[in-house]
Each structure stands twice: as C-alpha cells, then as structure tokens.
Amino acid sequence: MDYKSKNLVAERKRRKKLGDRLLNLRALVPRITNMKKETIIEDAINYIQELQENVKFLTGKLQLLEVEPFSEEEANPKREETNTVEDMKKCGIQENVEVSYMSGNKVQIKIIFEKKRGKFTKLLEAITSRGFQLSDTSMTSSKGATLFSSFAEVTYDGTLAVEETRKSLLQIVRSMPQLCKKLDPGDCCLGGAKLGLSELNTYL
Amino acid sequence: MYEEPGCFDPNNFTAEGAGSGFPQAVQKQFEENMDLSVDELSYHHHNHQEDAAVSAMESELQKHLAFKVENCDNNTHMLQQVVDDPNQLLSYDHANWNTGDIGFNQGDPEQNGHRSFNINSLPQTPDLLNLFHLPSSSLLPNSSISFANSNHDTTSLGFIKDLPASHSTSVLYDPLFHLNLPPQSPLFSELFQSIPQGYSLPTSRGGASSLFGDERDSSGVTAYQDGDGGMLEFTRDMACIVRRSETGKKKKPFTTERQRREQWNDKFEALRNMVPSPTKSDRASIVGDAIEYIKELLRTVNEIKLLAERKRCVRERSKRHKTEDDAGEDVKNCNIWPLGDPEQSYIGSLRSSWLQRKSKDTEVDVRIIDDEVTIKLFQRKKIDCLLFVSKVLEELKLDLHHVAGGHIGDYYSFLFNTKICEGSSLYAGAIANKVIEVMDREYAAVPPTSSY
C-alpha cells in the first residue's frame, strides 16, 4: 500500500483526463507517426507550425488582392448614408437629448442622433472628455437613427446639475456633424451636414 | 527451465513475409527468450550445446532479418534487443524510445570474454554499428541485430550476464517495432527531420560512437545524452533490474527517467508557447489549448480562403463589366463567365468563424457570420474601453450597430454588434488581434494608481 497515492481515484482521473485529451489531439492531427504520448505532441507541434505558415501565406495572398480597390465599391457607402436621414424623417424620429436624475451623482442619459459612421465615437469622446463616467451603456440603431442610453456619473464642481448636463450634451450632438465632416473625409457624412439638425425637445 | 531452442521456431520466420509481421514474430520470440530470465543465463554459458543452438537460431534470425531488410526498404523498424524486462520495455510509457536510441552495446570486450558480444569485432556485420543510427530511412534497410555470431559462442541473451561486469550497456529499441504499422518511413524521416529545435533527435548519427560502451567504460554509472537526445545508458543497476523483473515492481534507472520527463516537459512547454492565449500550465490544459488552437487555425484557413475566393470573383466580375462596357459585346466575354461558376458555390457558402484571444487583463471573443461581426469584450476595470474599441472599429471599417455593456464586478463587459463594410476582407483573427492590442496598450498607458 505504500505505493498507492493517497488520492488514487483523483490521480486516475487526472491521468485519464490527460490521456483523453491527447487522444483528441491525435485525432486532429492528420499525420501521426506513432501511438506514443510523446510523439503525438511532437506531431501536433509540427502540424500547428504548418497551419500557422499556411495562414501567413494565405493572408499575404489576401492582402495582395486587397491592393486595388474598385471605384464602384466606394460609391456604395454613399448611397447608404444618405438614406438614413430620410428614414429618420419618415419615422418621425428626431434628434434628442434627455437627461434624468437617478440618485446621488447618477443620471440617465438618452441621446438620439442620426446614424453616421464615426458619430458614436465622437459622442463618446466628447462625453468622456467632459468628465462623465459611464457605467452601464447601451447603443442601438434602427431606422437611420442611433439611440444612446447610459447611466453616468456627473459632477460639475461637486454638484449635479441635470440641466447643465443636458445642455452640454446637446452642444455635443449639435457639433457632431461638423466634427464628423471634418475628420472623416473618406467617409460620407454628407447627409447630416446638408440637412442640419432637426429641432430639439426640451426636457424637464 | 531452459526452453529448447526449438521453441524458437525458425519456421516462423520462413512463414513470415517481409514487413512488420516479421519483426513482430521476432519480437515475440525474443520475449520468450527473455522470459528465460537472467538466472537461466548462467546455464547458457556452460551449455555449449545450447549456445550453439542459440547461435544457430541467431544466425537464422539474422538471415531473416536481412531478408526482411532487403524486402522492406522503407521499413522504419530496427530490431534490437531489449535489456530490461520485455514487458516493461515494450510498454509505451517506458523510456524515451522514440527519440532516444538505446543503443545496444557491449561492455569491455576484454571483460566479457567469451560471453561478450563485441559488436565491434563482428566481422560479418561491421556496418551494423552504423545501423544503430536512428531513423533516416536510408539507414534502416541495413539495420539488424548482430546477434548471429557464429564466431562467438555467445547467446543472444548472454549480454545480460555481462551487465554486472560491464559498465555500460545500451539497447536500441524501436518503439514501432511491435506494432504492425505500415511502412511510413518517408513521413517518418521527414517528421524526424522537421522536429523543431529543442528536441534532440537522432537526426545525425555522428554520435554513433556513443553506442560503444568502450568509450564509457570508465564512467560506471553515467547517464549520457548523445546530443541526439536519447541515448540512454543503463548502468550496472541493470543487473538488479533484470533480476527483479519477476517481482513485478520496476525501478527505472534514475537518470533516464529524469531525462525522459525533462524531454517530455520540454515538449509541453514548446506546445504551450505556440498557443496564443495559454491559461493554466498543467499538461491537460496545454493539450486542451492546443486542440482549440488547431481548430481555430483550421477555421481561419477556411475563412481566408473563402475571402480570397470572393475577392477574386468580384474582381473577375468587375473586369468583365469593364470589358463589356468597352467592347459592348457579349461574345467576347463568354469565355470569362465560366470562370465565375466554379466559385459560385464557394461564394454562396456562408462565412463563419470565431476565435478568442486572452491577454492578461483582456479577453476578446470575435464571431463572424457572413458580414456580421459580434465582439465580446471583457476588460479589467480600469480604462474606458468603450471609446477605444469604438475607435478601433472605425479603423477596421466596421459599422457599429449595437453596443451593450457595463460593469460586472471587477470587469467591464461589452457586446458589440457590427457589420463589415462591403468589400472589406477582414478576417476574425485580425479583428481580435487588433482589439487586444489596443486594449493592452491603453491599459498599460494608464498609470496604475488611477482607478475608475
């Protein structure tokens, strides 16, 4: 009995687990030379190296194919962008900022704005740069508009001012189309700039 | 208890064809012989008749070995004699047979006298020594055991008796021997030669001289590694080992077992280093990670092939359109059209792939179905990931449709639903890598004292 490990069953299970996994590994590797545990690992190493090189080679090829963009592909995104504003109008969605007080320092923010590439990023940038700390956020888009909703902790000189929050956010939203237009020459934010912002609701 | 030499049935050999069946039979015979055990060996020395009989059988054996060897050029098996308890040695979890040769060897020629089996002095098989080199298949055809030794009246088992006397013996064992594996030597040798660095493999047999114990005589109990990684030397413990073979409890020579463990651990380490996001470092987890990684690589390969096909097809089409515009004739372009067809099925298939990447503080899960990408992000709570990820997604030209997430315990957790822009050939790996990269960078950039 001296030779038995104290926890025989657990040890057996552990060994079995390793053995089973090695078998699974062997099943994946196409070229196996041996039935030994050691060689299966060697074979697996070789196979992984092979696959990695294969991936490298294929991505190289893919990048070569990427090199020449075609003009018609670039035309398509523009069409999509202009549709969003029209969709919004159709459904009566309007750009909006709502701020509601929760408790303590927390407010809930709801912003509706036009869905354009890069707008969300700009919004986030502006929000965080003003010191809002977002906790639970959600963003979703449909019908050409984006709804951004989040809990935020806001502090203005130690006091919470909902209305001021709202105003600053509104400012952000208003300035976004211009920001977008300047910073994304490649993308198309033409729709927003041309049409401007629709009227904003007042809240509270 | 000495079994008649008749038990070693030469008829068996004649019946056996070339190939792995032969070694098997031979091995069985050897096992039987081995069962005689060392105690009986003493009989051998004194029983010349038996010796002769055994020699006869050895010569028979050698003939057949040669026969086998001639007929199976690509046989990777080398038949050697095992010193240790045959059952033990033949088991898989024995010493590092595969990468290590346990070179069969004799001790001091002068010590062993008539009992010794001095391979060096075998006139008819001088090249056998070279044959102890391990697997390049070119060498294998010549391999054989140099038992048959009509010059010496030694027995095939006589060397065992030598063990106490000799300082070192080593045995070459072909792990594949007792398996009826089909000849695989091209792959086998190729694989051996392609074994990554760090594994010592007997790819070069310059160290063949290590097979000879005479160089090691003085070393007594030594373990040496012949640079090839597996020449194992049995020491004088061998005698007691063999003697104890009947008791069932095996004790291996300390050094070889350690070597074997070390080598095996090295392999696990190497495997672990290849995997992108290793977690636990116990063996089972390493193998598990390797399995997942192989599956992931296969998925990536398929994905990229699909993307390349699509891209190529799109190009063909647009070229075709251009030429149509220019030429204005369909006839010219008929021959181009069929090119598209074989690829149609490929294009039509849904592209799907996913992979996960983990780094110290970040975990990313990217799933792609067709052109929709779902990204899950877990980030240890320190930086405002939403902004950074959003920027990355813009860079990668992914349209963000939906985000949800927040704090969960110590972590931020986010789910991003995005769409790939038309015409972009982004693959899952690129996305995951980029996101992880950015996350780590930003995480590192934040001074450790600040906290959200």
Side-chain angles (χ1 to χ4, degrees), chain A residues 21 31 33-34 36 39 41-42 45-46 49 52 59 65-66 117-118 121 125 128 135 137-139 141, chain B residues 92 98 176 191 195 199 267-268 274 284 293 304 315 384 390-391 394 399 401-403 405 425 427:
Chain A
R21 289 205 184 170
R31 276 200 313 228
T33 54
N34 212 336
K36 288 190 166 300
T39 56
I41 298 200
E42 289 174 22
I45 290 176
N46 291 334
Q49 280 180 335
Q52 282 174 335
T59 39
L65 286 177
E66 274 276 338
R117 212 171 279 169
T121 311
E125 262 178 10
T128 51
S135 54
T137 59
S138 149
M139 174 271 228
S141 42
Chain B
Y92 289 132
N98 194 33
L176 297 176
L191 273 168
I195 291 283
Y199 299 135
K267 287 180 203 170
F268 273 100
M274 305 183 74
Y293 186 49
I304 297 184
R315 282 217 174 154
D384 185 7
S390 173
K391 281 190 182 165
E394 265 185 48
D399 287 333
H401 284 261
H402 178 76
V403 180
S425 56
Y427 63 100

Side-chain angles (χ1 to χ4, degrees), chain B residues 249-393:
Chain B
K249 188 59 196 171
K250 281 283 18 128
K251 258 200 241 158
K252 292 202 178 49
F254 169 66
T255 51
T256 56
E257 173 63 17
R258 176 199 275 175
Q259 278 179 349
R260 176 180 155 256
R261 275 200 318 261
E262 283 170 1
Q263 284 173 9
W264 200 2
N265 280 332
D266 287 341
K267 287 180 203 170
F268 273 100
E269 267 311 300
L271 191 58
R272 182 160 198 251
N273 290 334
M274 305 183 74
V275 173
S277 24
T279 52
K280 301 197 211 173
S281 58
D282 66 303
R283 287 180 176 179
S285 303
I286 292 177
V287 177
D289 287 343
I291 292 174
E292 291 307 316
Y293 186 49
I294 290 182
K295 289 188 194 162
E296 178 200 302
L297 282 172
L298 289 170
R299 280 196 302 263
T300 310
V301 165
N302 286 341
E303 189 188 359
I304 297 184
K305 277 190 191 165
L306 186 66
L307 285 177
E309 275 309 308
R310 280 194 187 163
K311 215 65 237 212
R312 214 175 296 142
C313 212
V314 165
R315 282 217 174 154
E316 295 293 327
R317 289 223 189 90
S318 46
K319 279 188 197 155
R320 210 183 305 127
H321 289 149
K322 283 188 183 163
T323 52
E324 277 174 4
D325 293 339
D326 297 343
E329 281 183 11
D330 291 349
V331 180
K332 247 193 214 177
N333 304 315
C334 279
N335 48 355
I336 304 178
W337 181 255
L339 269 178
D341 283 354
E343 293 151 358
Q344 284 302 329
S345 52
Y346 215 172
I347 304 286
S349 68
L350 210 59
R351 159 188 167 178
S352 81
S353 79
W354 69 273
L355 55 82
Q356 291 180 325
R357 287 275 182 273
K358 289 188 196 147
S359 79
K360 192 167 147 280
D361 306 296
T362 318
E363 190 180 322
V364 174
D365 180 305
V366 177
R367 288 165 206 237
I368 306 186
I369 295 191
D370 221 8
D371 61 345
E372 294 192 5
V373 186
T374 306
I375 304 176
K376 284 189 218 165
L377 176 69
F378 298 98
Q379 168 86 33
R380 205 185 290 269
K381 181 173 159 192
K382 199 177 169 194
I383 57 172
D384 185 7
C385 8
L386 205 53
L387 178 59
F388 295 123
V389 175
S390 173
K391 281 190 182 165
V392 169
L393 293 179

